[in-house]
């Protein structure tokens, strides 16, 4: 469509900026091998999005991260021989039940409509990593330092004698710690979406100073989460390929719940494990990284494997200790509980509301519609509260578009699905989503059998209708 300029049409929409340094990038797209190494430094989306996927099948990421896939540019780097391609990971041999269409006519038409909306509204899809949330968090720190008792080490150097534990009561200091800690925890959860999550999808859009600050502040979460999260986007709810279905394994697995139905036992396990979501996410992401990449340092300027594990192990206790000192144990507990509840509400249930989220087809875009749930996407205040990630369907269809822009394109996607008779899972509030999610876990749904999480040929494939055909 004519509403988007050539640069946006021809490049990854999440990009540009501060990356550098080059690196190897040999990939597979639609079963064909390409050596993108000469293109790494010229990539408008930055080098990291390419080098971090060196040796992978990036078919889903290639088509979903471009409003118009730059196939002509890609073909310049095609390699029809195996020489120099020894670095391809086993994960590049993706095995679906049937062939999956990553660039269907339906998806192409929807992309064109979204591109038109961006052009009409004068919106840039690239995320801007501002300092508002960080500034509000610093204000909470200043309040805590002013309101929560901090008398330092006690007599003889004891931490317990009027030191870190001074704000642990529920008197005036303790109440202040709880209030400020809860606000701080919400802002930390919000920053997970506005900065860490957008950083995973747009790593080189961050200035080097913001990247360094975020690495220290959020314990290298962008580096730790990137590989695992990109796999989740490529193979959402697909058995054996989407690591997010096994967040809480071996206690329970969302895919198995969809196949066999839930139970009271699964509901109880979830109730006990969800409060531990933050450390579980970090450990699972690191485990996926080591499992798929090994222990060595790979890629361009990002630590992988053992160096990343060492960095997280070193930074985590220091960050926790700093927050405990600032807010006191009670305030820190309030912050951690609030952040965890926020992430559970805005993230955990977005792909596991019911069994139908696991009924997949051979159309990748249709699978994103089936497997994902929105919450109150038309509510401006709730979208602001969530940093736009409540428009989760749009995020999965267009992962490189900034989360703050998603509420602007949600009406386009919703209307398109209505016109074409495509699924669009929208819940009016987070309470409705979580109530449905709880019923799913506890077994109030029937389960949909062993086909859950497997791609199958749909009986009726959705057909794209052109604008001219629509008007006729």
């Amino acid at each position: 469509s004519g509403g988007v300029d050539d640069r946006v049409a021809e490049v990854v929409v999440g990009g540009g900026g501060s990356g550098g340094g080059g690196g190897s990038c040999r990939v597979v797209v639609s079963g064909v091998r390409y050596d993108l190494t000469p293109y790494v430094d010229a990539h408008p989306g930055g080098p990291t999005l390419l080098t971090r996927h060196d040796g992978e099948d990036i078919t889903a990421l290639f088509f979903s991260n471009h409003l118009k896939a730059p196939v002509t540019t890609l073909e310049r780097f095609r390699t029809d021989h195996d020489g120099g391609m020894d670095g391809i990971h086993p994960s590049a041999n993706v095995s679906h039940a049937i062939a999956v269409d990553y660039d269907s006519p339906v998806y192409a038409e929807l992309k064109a409509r979204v591109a038109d909306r961006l052009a009409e509204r004068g919106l840039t899809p690239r995320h801007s990593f501002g300092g508002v949330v960080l500034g509000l968090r610093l204000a909470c720190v200043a309040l805590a330092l002013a309101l929560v008792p901090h008398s330092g080490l006690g007599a003889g150097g004891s931490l317990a004698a009027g030191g870190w534990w001074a704000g642990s009561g529920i008197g005036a200091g303790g109440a202040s710690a709880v209030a400020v800690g809860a606000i701080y925890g919400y802002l930390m959860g919000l920053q997970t979406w506005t900065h860490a999550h957008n950083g995973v999808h747009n790593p080189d859009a961050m200035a080097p100073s913001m990247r360094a600050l975020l690495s220290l502040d959020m314990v290298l979460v962008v580096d730790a989460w990137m590989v695992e999260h990109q796999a989740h986007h490529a193979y959402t709810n697909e058995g054996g390929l989407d690591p997010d279905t096994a967040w809480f394994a071996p206690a329970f697995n969302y895919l198995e719940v969809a196949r066999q139905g839930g139970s009271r036992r699964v509901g109880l396990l979830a109730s006990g494990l969800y409060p531990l979501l933050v450390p579980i996410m970090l450990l699972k992401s690191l485990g996926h990284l080591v499992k798929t990449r090994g222990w060595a340092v790979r890629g361009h300027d990002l630590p992988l494997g053992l160096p990343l594990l060492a960095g997280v192990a070193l930074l985590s206790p220091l960050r926790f200790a700093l927050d405990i000192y600032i807010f006191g144990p009670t305030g820190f507990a309030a912050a951690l509980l609030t952040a965890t509840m926020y992430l559970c509400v805005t993230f955990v249930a977005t792909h596991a509301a019911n069994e139908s989220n696991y009924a997949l087809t051979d159309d990748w875009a249709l699978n994103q519609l089936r497997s994902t749930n929105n919450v109150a996407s038309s509510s401006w205040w709730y979208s602001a509260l969530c940093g736009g990630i409540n428009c989760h369907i749009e995020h999965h269809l267009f992962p490189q578009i900034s989360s703050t822009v998603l509420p602007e394109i949600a009406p386009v996607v919703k209307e398109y699905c209505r016109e074409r008779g495509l699924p669009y899972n929208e819940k009016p509030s987070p309470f409705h989503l979580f109530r449905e999610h709880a019923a799913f876990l506890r077994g109030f749904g029937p389960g949909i059998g062993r086909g859950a999480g497997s791609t199958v040929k749909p009986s009726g494939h959705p057909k794209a209708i052109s604008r001219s055909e629509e008007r006729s």
Side-chain angles (χ1 to χ4, degrees):
S1 73
V4 60
D5 65 278
D6 291 340
R7 187 171 187 273
V8 173
E10 288 295 324
V11 303
V12 170
V13 298
S18 63
S24 172
C25 184
R26 296 159 296 177
V27 298
V28 173
V29 177
S30 300
V32 178
R33 291 180 171 189
Y34 298 90
D35 188 353
L36 299 179
T37 304
Y39 183 65
V40 164
D41 287 329
H43 183 228
T48 304
L49 286 172
L50 295 182
T51 56
R52 183 47 76 91
H53 296 291
D54 179 29
E56 288 188 31
D57 185 317
I58 63 167
T59 307
L61 301 177
F62 174 75
F63 287 108
S64 65
N65 286 312
H66 297 87
L67 288 176
K68 181 181 177 182
V71 176
T72 302
T73 299
L74 181 67
E75 285 302 310
R76 288 165 40 203
F77 303 98
R78 179 169 181 160
T79 176
D80 293 316
H81 56 83
D82 292 338
M85 300 298 288
D86 296 336
I88 293 292
H89 295 303
S91 61
N93 301 313
V94 177
S95 178
H96 302 280
I98 59 172
V100 173
D101 187 353
Y102 294 98
D103 192 31
S104 66
V106 168
Y107 194 22
E109 184 184 41
L110 179 56
K111 285 180 177 181
R113 292 201 182 187
V114 167
D116 285 348
R117 169 57 69 95
L118 294 173
E120 289 166 3
R121 297 290 178 92
L123 297 169
T124 175
R126 291 172 175 84
H127 188 70
S128 177
F129 292 86
V132 174
V133 179
L134 286 166
L136 291 172
R137 284 182 54 224
L138 285 175
C140 287
V141 169
L143 276 174
L145 290 174
L147 298 175
V148 180
H150 297 87
S151 55
L153 294 175
S158 170
L159 291 176
W164 285 15
W165 304 98
S168 62
I170 307 296
S176 298
V178 169
V180 178
I183 297 172
Y184 180 85
Y186 157 69
L187 292 170
M188 197 70 182
L190 179 61
Q191 187 177 302
T192 300
W193 296 130
T194 59
H195 286 67
H197 183 250
N198 277 297
V200 165
H201 291 286
N202 304 269
D204 292 315
M206 283 186 283
S209 56
M210 177 63 77
R211 183 63 178 271
L213 176 62
L214 201 62
S215 293
L216 292 172
D217 183 35
M218 302 195 76
V219 195
L220 299 170
V221 67
V222 172
D223 299 335
W225 197 11
M226 190 179 298
V227 173
E228 188 277 340
H229 193 62
Q230 297 286 11
H232 161 64
H233 269 266
Y235 313 111
T236 310
N237 278 5
E238 192 165 348
L241 295 173
D242 179 4
D244 278 19
T245 62
W247 270 128
F248 299 98
F252 67 91
N253 184 304
Y254 290 125
L255 188 59
E256 291 306 313
V257 173
R259 287 173 173 169
Q260 302 170 10
S263 65
R264 181 173 296 179
R265 171 184 168 276
V266 172
L268 290 172
L269 286 171
S271 298
L273 289 172
Y274 281 6
L276 303 175
L277 175 65
V278 174
I280 287 174
M281 283 178 62
L282 183 59
L283 290 173
K284 286 284 187 175
S285 294
L286 289 170
H288 180 84
L289 181 66
V290 171
K291 179 181 177 181
T292 58
R293 297 295 184 276
W295 296 93
V297 177
R298 293 177 52 87
H300 90 293
D301 65 344
L302 302 178
L304 295 180
L306 187 58
L308 182 57
L309 286 174
V312 171
L314 176 65
L315 286 175
S316 294
L318 295 176
R319 276 295 291 116
F320 282 132
L322 181 62
D323 281 348
I324 291 172
Y325 172 75
I326 293 171
F327 295 95
T330 304
F332 174 75
L336 185 59
L337 179 61
T338 303
T340 301
M341 289 176 61
Y342 174 85
L343 291 174
C344 281
V345 169
T346 56
F347 176 64
V348 163
T350 49
H351 300 288
N354 53 61
E355 292 85 353
S356 66
N357 289 148
Y358 297 83
L360 306 182
T361 76
D362 66 339
D363 185 311
W364 185 87
L366 181 57
N367 286 344
Q368 306 315 302
L369 293 170
R370 285 176 175 266
S371 64
T372 312
N373 301 280
N374 273 12
V375 177
S377 62
S378 61
S379 170
W380 67 266
W381 70 266
Y382 189 70
S383 295
L385 195 70
C386 298
I389 204 64
N390 57 311
C391 301
H392 216 70
I393 293 171
E394 289 71 27
H395 170 58
H396 266 257
L397 288 168
F398 307 102
Q400 291 296 333
I401 291 182
S402 168
S403 63
T404 58
V405 177
L406 297 178
E408 295 285 349
I409 68 172
V412 176
V413 177
K414 187 174 183 178
E415 176 61 17
Y416 182 82
C417 291
R418 186 193 66 78
E419 291 174 6
R420 304 293 176 260
L422 301 174
Y424 191 87
N425 305 314
E426 172 115 40
K427 312 302 177 186
S429 75
F431 306 105
H432 289 81
L433 176 62
F434 230 77
R435 183 174 63 188
E436 200 169 326
H437 176 66
F440 166 70
L441 293 176
R442 294 181 63 190
F444 295 145
I448 59 174
R450 295 194 60 80
S454 301
T455 50
V456 297
K457 185 73 174 178
S459 56
H461 209 63
K463 174 181 179 292
I465 301 177
S466 67
R467 292 292 181 89
S468 59
E469 182 181 350
E470 180 183 332
R471 289 191 291 264
S472 63

